[in-house]
Amino acid sequence: MIAEIAPADGPAGIRVIPLGPEHADQVLTIYQLGIDGGQATFETTAPGWEEFDAAKLPGHRHVALDADGRVVGWSAAVPVSDRCAYAGVVEHSVYVHPDAQGRGVGLALLRALIASTEAAGIWTIQSGIFPENTASLALHRRAGFRVIGTRMRIGRHHGVWRDVVLVERRSPVVS
């Protein structure tokens, strides 16, 4: 049995459960839609499932399902370093299908990620967000993340230098 991990105050008709291989095609489609939008990542194509699966931490991968069981969003985390001093720090991604944006799906996914990481003793969740992605920045503020700075012209995206806003959430319960 798959345990539902969405908080009771999540969006109506949306369940958040662990991401598994049965969700691969829908997750990678949503990832590619985010990539195609041009404001989510420096990536230009979604990886294959084997590469995606190998990179993401087990236990910190979630999907949001609509009432019909379709994946409408996902979140996942990766370690920021293999150095033991950073064992409690992860970098995360959260992607919501364009048709499901603005309905609380992203917040439900972030809450599930926060719950799973805190249960595992992870004390910091971080990410880099393009400053033009104002919806993602607002979502992260609602989920308790803070802006820690901006990396100016950190990388080229389709030949254009892009800035990245660094956000983090430090757990108040993991010390």
Side-chain angles (χ1 to χ4, degrees):
M1 175 168 184
I2 295 176
E4 186 169 330
I5 52 181
D9 62 345
I14 299 296
R15 293 182 308 125
V16 177
I17 64 170
L19 186 162
E22 67 275 19
H23 305 117
D25 290 342
Q26 294 176 81
V27 164
L28 295 177
T29 295
I30 291 169
Y31 193 7
Q32 189 63 52
L33 288 168
I35 291 168
D36 293 345
Q39 300 303 326
T41 179
F42 283 104
E43 299 298 332
T44 55
T45 58
W49 175 249
E50 287 183 9
E51 182 181 349
F52 180 96
D53 185 47
K56 309 305 183 204
L57 288 170
H60 309 299
R61 307 184 303 181
H62 312 285
V63 289
L65 304 177
D66 68 11
D68 295 323
R70 288 183 299 251
V71 175
V72 293
W74 62 270
S75 63
V78 299
V80 298
S81 174
D82 60 2
R83 296 177 62 198
C84 60
Y86 296 103
V89 183
V90 296
E91 183 171 349
H92 81 286
S93 299
V94 59
Y95 284 78
V96 177
H97 192 287
D99 294 342
Q101 292 176 359
R103 295 183 12 214
V105 172
L107 187 57
L109 286 162
L110 284 178
R111 287 178 176 161
L113 181 67
I114 290 165
S116 72
T117 55
E118 285 183 339
I122 293 171
W123 57 82
T124 300
I125 305 170
Q126 66 183 36
S127 192
I129 302 170
F130 291 143
E132 298 83 3
N133 194 344
T134 57
S136 185
L137 290 168
L139 165 65
H140 283 82
R141 276 192 299 277
R142 284 192 305 277
F145 287 74
R146 68 185 181 102
V147 171
I148 58 171
T150 301
R151 298 180 81 183
M152 307 296 288
R153 297 172 47 96
I154 192 66
R156 288 182 186 255
H157 183 240
H158 300 297
V160 177
W161 286 104
R162 300 290 300 264
D163 299 344
V164 171
V165 177
L166 299 175
V167 297
E168 74 173 14
R169 181 189 181 278
R170 176 66 193 238
S171 172
V173 299
V174 177
S175 55

